[in-house]
Every structure is written in structure tokens, then in C-alpha cells.
């Protein structure tokens, strides 16, 4: 069964610092990859997704993620974080194209200090 | 805008009670999902449905059942609530089809079982 690892449970950064959140998955075949974000008190929403093509994917609010197949990784990056990026971030993987079942990681809580 | 609504934001129930959690989406989506979200465990899929009256077990279906009588509505049922079912429950929907689609989430129902 697919598993998704997010090794950073809680990350604390100052505003303007650069961000990289790790995501690794276990399945070695073709995958679709997602990052979702949950701002305090809000719904979970899509940040970005990768299906195929350019392994560097750009999402909303200046976030990007790079798919590295050889490392089974899909790390999330942002060059300069803002206080409003404080949220919980979830990586998710789909490896069964007969349905749309997602396997989520355990999440990374990001706290940005003004 | 896709809208996924859940019948209650907060719910308190007693052990042994039958609990119904309702989810409605307004975008004619084929697929609907029920997750539970627990700190340190991320989101775990309970059940999903890709059509009316169709359902499939997710990763943690034990103690739960679902019902999808109409396309827009997907209900999660706890036949006999237990304290270990205290959690945040999230409903999601997606368009469906062969290409992976974004899942849109509701606001969640925080259930406390006493």
C-alpha cells in the first residue's frame, strides 16, 4: 500500500525566510502528486498538483514543488514566506488511476513569526 | 465556485448512539469522499463513492457505513459511536473521470463522543 511521509511535523520560520517542506512516497510507479493547505479556521484547499510533464510545478501564492522520481519526493518550496502562510500543509499521492483515492501524509504545521 | 457543505460544525454524542454526518456538494460531482483528520495522523480515507448507490471502502472503514442515495449527498453513519471515533470528519468531492481531479473539501464536523 502507498504511504506518504512528511518528516517535518512543525516548522517555525521568520517572515522572508525560505521554505522547503519534505514529502516522500513509497510507490515506485506512476503517481499523481498534490499539496493541500489548511489555513486556520478554513477548508482544506489545493495548493498545487503534478500529473505529468515539467517536474517543477507552480501553485498559488508563490508556492512551487519539484517532483524527483528517483528520490520518490515532491518537496514544497517558497522563496520568501509571509505571516499569512501560517497553516498546515498536507502532501497527497494517487497511484490508482481507476479511482481518485488519495493517500495523505501526516501534515506539517508551519508557523511564521512576524 | 464549488461548495461542499457539512450538516454540523460541532457534534457531541454519547457512546452507543447512532450518528449521521451529512455532506452535500453543489457542482454535480461524481465522486465523494469521507475522511477523518487526527493530529499527527493526517487525513485517512474512510469511504468513497464514485456514483449514486456505489461505495468503496477506504483505509479505515471499520465502525462506519455510508449512504449515497442522491448524487449531491453523501452520508457517513456511525452505527454505534465509540470514544475512539472522536475526531474531525471531512467530506470532499471531485468531478470524476479518468484524469485525476482536484478534491474540494467541506469545512469539517468536529465530533466528540462521550
Amino acid at each position: 500500500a502507498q504511504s506518504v511521509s512528511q518528516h517535518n511535523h512543525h516548522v517555525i520560520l521568520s517572515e522572508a525566510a525560505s521554505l522547503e517542506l519534505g514529502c516522500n512516497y513509497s510507490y515506485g510507479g506512476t503517481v499523481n502528486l498534490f499539496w493541500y493547505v489548511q489555513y486556520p479556521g478554513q477548508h482544506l484547499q489545493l495548493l498545487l498538483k503534478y500529473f505529468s510533464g515539467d517536474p517543477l510545478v507552480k501553485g498559488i501564492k508563490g508556492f512551487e514543488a519539484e517532483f524527483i522520481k528517483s528520490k520518490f519526493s515532491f518537496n514544497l518550496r517558497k522563496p520568501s514566506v509571509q505571516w499569512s502562510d501560517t497553516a498546515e500543509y498536507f502532501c497527497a499521492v494517487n497511484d490508482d488511476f481507476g479511482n481518485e483515492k488519495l493517500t495523505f501524509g501526516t501534515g506539517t504545521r508551519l508557523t511564521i513569526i512576524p | 465556485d464549488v461548495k461542499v457543505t457539512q450538516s454540523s460544525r460541532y457534534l457531541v454524542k454519547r457512546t452507543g448512539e447512532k450518528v449521521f454526518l451529512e455532506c452535500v456538494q453543489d457542482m454535480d460531482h461524481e465522486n465523494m469522499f469521507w475522511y477523518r483528520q487526527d493530529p499527527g495522523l493526517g487525513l485517512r480515507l474512510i469511504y468513497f463513492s464514485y456514483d449514486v448507490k456505489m461505495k468503496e471502502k477506504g483505509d479505515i472503514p471499520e465502525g462506519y457505513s455510508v449512504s449515497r442515495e442522491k448524487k449531491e449527498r453523501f452520508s457517513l453513519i456511525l452505527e454505534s459511536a465509540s470514544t475512539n471515533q472522536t475526531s474531525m470528519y471531512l467530506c470532499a468531492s471531485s468531478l470524476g473521470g479518468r484524469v485525476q481531479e482536484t478534491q474540494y473539501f467541506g469545512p469539517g464536523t468536529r465530533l466528540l463522543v462521550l
Side-chain angles (χ1 to χ4, degrees):
Chain A
Q2 178 70 261
S3 67
V4 179
S5 299
Q6 292 182 246
H7 301 295
N8 312 109
H9 299 295
H10 189 191
V11 173
I12 302 172
L13 294 172
S14 298
E15 274 192 312
S18 65
L19 170 72
E20 181 160 4
L21 301 183
C23 172
N24 290 91
Y25 60 94
S26 60
Y27 178 68
T30 302
V31 291
N32 294 327
L33 299 156
F34 303 79
W35 276 98
Y36 280 83
V37 61
Q38 190 171 33
Y39 297 103
Q42 294 190 27
H43 302 195
L44 205 65
Q45 59 185 282
L46 182 71
L47 205 52
L48 49 78
K49 60 186 178 184
Y50 170 81
F51 290 169
S52 62
D54 188 344
L56 186 61
V57 179
K58 295 194 184 298
I60 61 171
K61 304 187 181 187
F63 285 90
E64 64 180 30
E66 185 174 14
F67 171 50
I68 303 179
K69 191 173 183 179
S70 60
K71 294 185 178 180
F72 300 90
S73 72
F74 189 55
N75 291 356
L76 182 71
R77 301 195 294 246
K78 186 171 183 179
S80 177
V81 293
Q82 301 170 303
W83 177 78
S84 59
D85 293 325
T86 294
E88 190 152 19
Y89 293 80
F90 294 92
C91 181
V93 176
N94 169 262
D95 62 6
D96 182 354
F97 303 144
N99 64 58
E100 295 183 16
K101 179 183 167 185
L102 290 179
T103 301
F104 280 83
T106 54
T108 297
R109 187 154 64 100
L110 176 65
T111 300
I112 306 299
I113 301 169
Chain B
D1 256 4
V2 176
K3 195 163 184 183
V4 179
T5 57
Q6 295 182 228
S7 51
S8 306
R9 292 300 301 271
Y10 301 94
L11 212 49
V12 180
K13 295 292 181 181
R14 298 221 172 261
T15 303
E17 279 193 76
K18 191 168 186 175
V19 182
F20 293 87
L21 303 182
E22 305 284 340
C23 175
V24 177
Q25 49 92 5
D26 67 356
M27 284 302 291
D28 202 35
H29 281 175
E30 299 289 335
N31 300 331
M32 295 188 76
F33 307 82
W34 274 107
Y35 296 89
R36 62 178 284 176
Q37 181 180 9
D38 300 288
L41 296 177
L43 276 74
R44 294 177 291 166
L45 182 65
I46 304 171
Y47 268 96
F48 64 103
S49 167
Y50 51 87
D51 202 351
V52 176
K53 296 192 186 294
M54 305 299 286
K55 62 185 179 185
E56 285 205 25
K57 293 180 180 179
D59 299 316
I60 51 164
E62 296 78 19
Y64 303 94
S65 62
V66 290
S67 172
R68 194 161 180 208
E69 296 296 318
K70 294 184 177 181
K71 191 174 186 180
E72 67 272 17
R73 189 179 297 269
F74 192 35
S75 303
L76 180 69
I77 303 153
L78 286 65
E79 295 290 343
S80 177
S82 63
T83 55
N84 63 12
Q85 292 178 309
T86 290
S87 187
M88 171 70 91
Y89 290 87
L90 298 179
C91 176
S93 73
S94 67
L95 184 62
R98 300 297 288 178
V99 178
Q100 178 62 254
E101 291 288 343
T102 300
Q103 290 188 18
Y104 295 88
F105 285 82
T109 295
R110 191 169 291 281
L111 173 67
L112 173 62
V113 182
L114 299 174

